[in-house]
Amino acid sequence: MSAKTSDADAQIRQAIDRENPSTVVAFEGFDGKAVFLIAVAFSAFQLWTAAFNPLSSMVVRSVHVGFLLLMTFALFGFRQETERKSVPWYDWLLGLTAFAIGLYHYVFEVDLIQRSGDPSTTDLVVGVVAIALVFEGARRIMGMALPIMCGVFIPYALFGRYLPFGLGHRGYDVDQVIDNLFLSTEGIYGTPTFVSASYIFLFILFGAFLERAGMIKLFNDVSLGLVGHAKGGPAKVAVISSGLMGTINGSGVANVLTTGQFTIPLMMRFGYRPAFAGAVEATASMGGQLMPPVMGAAAFIMAETIGVPYSEVAIAAAIPAILYFGSAFWMVHLEAGMRNLVGLPREQCPSALKAVIEGWYLILPLAALVYLLFSGFTPLFAGVMGIAATAALILGMRIVTTIGPTALRVAFWVVVGLVAAGLWRLGLRTEHLAFTIVVLLIIPCLLFRGGRETLALVVHSVADGAKNAIGVGVACALVGVLIGMMTLTGLASSFATTIVDWSGGNLLAALVLTMIACIVLGTGLPTTANYIITASIAAPALLTMGVPLIVSHMFVFYFGIMADLTPPVALAALAASSICKADHMEIGWIATRVAMAGYVVPFMAVYDPALVLQSGDWLAIGYVFVKACVAIALWGAATIGFFWTPLSWPARLYAAAASFLFVVALPLTDEAAFVMTGLFLLWQHRQRRALTAVPV
């Protein structure tokens, strides 16, 4: 039994590390201090370059990858299963070598530009080492799947002229491959790394600030106050709390391990099966990456890839996200109805209004961030301002606790505003002004013990953000190898042609093939890497078949996320199993049913893009939304076996058939589905009246 437990713990630890590397054991002594200082320096570098823009984009990407690899080799050992209590000298050597290579583009920037396309021997040697270190760093974090998948494209580029079966191409020399991967913006320093260094890091850091400041407690208290007392309240709390958490945390597994520590035991205490409780939390947590306004890292990469503002991606994701969480909410409501599960006593539920009043200042940075994102400002500017606003509020709220009367507290914030206005009139840029205010607030915090404790919280948030960015950043650098080689050889267009050929030109078949590819890739890849690869391979095929650009990318984006719920791997279910102590495969299969909206809505969006707001006809948008809601309601009844009354298997099959007709979008299928739904509701109404009429 202990051996099985240790094996499961090792699996869970690998899943956690892959999504959220800050959960690794903190080292003590010199190694602990060194890793902490490196993390703080990493975040400081990112904030400095974001606010002041002193370096070229290529240099920022290179140093960003250098920091990522330095922290990777410090935090993760050669063997993942080995308990790591310190950093061996050879890992420090590898990490420092990687960091030194990260400075190569900074030191020799002018020379590299002048000899662009004609790399020197030194350039080639350094490039080989850099590429090898990226592969090894990714292997330590994510295992062998992604490095192998990306690695095969290098020999493909080198030996293309010898390949059979239509895979051949003219082939490229070693210096051309290394030049593409190391010295251009098409390889490890490509678009994914650019987005990681520019946007993703800042939003991860923003989430780390809010988590340290108490946002998790605020979300839990608000959720408990709103629905904790309702039928099946604990599970509804999990859905709402995890959805809110998704606005600051784009990692599904990390979301399970934060909100799940509270919600899963609560659900089990009030009668939910352990596996169902774990499945609900896994489903809701993965949905955090789908939930606007701040989605997961892949959404920022999508915006950059297809060349649209991030706000457009978030708007397109709005209705599918509502349907996803609405589906999860409906499923737990039906489960509660079938098992007669009650909510918490009202006296045990905190007041949602009181929680908001006490934590109102935590909402302000998030509101400001959303406003900036949807007002046309770049994610870079919005991220910088969100972080500065959060730090200023945390420090300022600590200072005002030392001031007695409310009038003086108000006066303090008025003075801060006047100082900011004065600096603005002096001509300071907005980003510089924001960080100047933060520095001015740091000074008084140094003068008293509570202030110094708050400063320590801020510094630890900075370190947490750097650690949390490692997994996504290294995956982005490695996937750049695959993209660079596909761009160099033209393989992406060949893949698109192959998918179209295999599907015989049938859109539904192409969608199913793409879905399978996303889910299969997702068994061994993080969500971000999965999206980047499938967006490069499969999305162009859908585009050639007439699917709108943003819809095709949203399709692969959704199924990349759903892969973490789908057995046999189901990483989110694996993380939940560590809390609810149920079999992770059972959790995965239940989560697949609970999250069915995540599997169905992408297909509906392809056949009717109004579902992702790609239509100016609000009547059409309203119609497809209602249709999707009815389909989800019927599917929930079929899955759980309960609607207003318990359902027999024939009734469940009938509900599933009606739900399916809403999805297929063929002539007369909607009409037939609405008729079947009306008959189902009428029958259920009579069944409920018959049950209530029976004397107890």
Side-chain angles (χ1 to χ4, degrees), residues 318-665:
I319 290 180
I322 292 170
L323 293 173
Y324 182 92
F325 280 97
S327 171
F329 196 90
W330 175 244
M331 291 287 191
V332 301
H333 178 79
L334 293 178
E335 178 82 2
M338 184 176 70
R339 298 180 182 275
N340 197 27
L341 303 177
V342 298
L344 284 74
R346 280 189 177 271
E347 59 272 15
Q348 293 184 17
C349 296
S351 167
L353 180 61
K354 182 180 178 182
V356 171
I357 292 173
E358 291 178 351
W360 63 270
Y361 63 95
L362 294 175
I363 301 173
L364 292 180
L366 188 59
L369 182 76
V370 173
Y371 171 78
L372 292 173
L373 284 173
F374 285 81
S375 297
F377 292 94
T378 65
L380 182 67
F381 178 81
V384 169
M385 296 306 297
I387 291 169
T390 307
L393 279 170
I394 292 172
L395 296 171
M397 290 301 293
R398 169 54 70 181
I399 293 171
V400 298
T401 57
T402 64
I403 303 173
T406 303
L408 289 179
R409 298 184 179 189
V410 173
F412 168 82
W413 288 112
V414 172
V415 170
V416 171
L418 292 174
V419 171
L423 293 172
W424 174 267
R425 291 177 67 87
L426 291 175
L428 256 66
R429 282 180 55 184
T430 308
E431 305 97 306
H432 304 169
L433 168 63
F435 281 101
T436 301
I437 295 297
V438 172
V439 172
L440 292 176
L441 291 172
I442 287 174
I443 296 172
C445 284
L446 291 169
L447 304 179
F448 62 100
R449 181 177 178 182
R452 291 190 291 272
E453 292 175 351
T454 302
L455 286 175
L457 180 146
V458 170
V459 174
H460 279 87
S461 299
V462 166
D464 285 349
K467 292 178 182 178
N468 292 347
I470 294 174
V472 172
V474 172
C476 286
L478 183 59
V479 171
V481 173
L482 182 147
I483 295 175
M485 294 298 91
M486 290 183 66
T487 303
L488 187 66
T489 61
L491 186 61
S493 59
S494 300
F495 267 116
T497 303
T498 301
I499 291 176
V500 173
D501 291 342
W502 282 3
S503 65
N506 182 277
L507 179 58
L508 179 60
L511 292 173
V512 172
L513 286 172
T514 304
M515 176 190 71
I516 293 171
C518 293
I519 291 176
V520 170
L521 284 172
T523 61
L525 304 183
T527 302
T528 305
N530 190 351
Y531 164 73
I532 295 170
I533 293 172
T534 51
S536 302
I537 296 173
L542 300 182
L543 188 63
T544 61
M545 300 185 75
V547 180
L549 180 63
I550 194 169
V551 178
S552 62
H553 280 259
M554 290 292 288
F555 187 88
V556 299
F557 171 64
Y558 266 70
F559 280 111
I561 290 172
M562 298 313 296
D564 274 350
L565 287 177
T566 309
V569 177
L571 283 174
L574 185 63
S577 71
S578 67
I579 302 173
C580 67
K581 306 303 180 186
D583 179 63
H584 101 272
M585 287 289 286
E586 183 184 2
I587 295 172
W589 288 119
I590 296 174
T592 301
R593 299 198 300 271
V594 173
M596 186 50 62
Y599 296 88
V600 172
V601 168
F603 283 91
M604 297 183 71
V606 169
Y607 286 106
D608 194 343
L611 195 62
V612 286
L613 299 178
Q614 300 302 298
S615 170
D617 186 351
W618 287 100
L619 186 62
I621 293 171
Y623 172 75
V624 72
F625 178 72
V626 170
K627 186 174 75 167
C629 288
V630 176
I632 288 170
L634 291 169
W635 176 257
T639 300
I640 302 298
F642 185 87
F643 192 73
W644 290 327
T645 65
L647 301 179
S648 62
W649 274 107
R652 295 169 73 170
L653 292 173
Y654 179 91
S659 178
F660 178 75
L661 287 177
F662 278 118
V663 177
V664 294

Side-chain angles (χ1 to χ4, degrees), residues 132-158:
L133 289 173
V134 169
F135 272 88
E136 172 59 14
R139 184 198 66 80
R140 292 190 180 201
I141 298 175
M142 290 165 275
M144 292 298 295
L146 184 59
I148 290 174
M149 186 175 300
C150 295
V152 297
F153 285 88
I154 295 178
Y156 173 77
L158 293 172

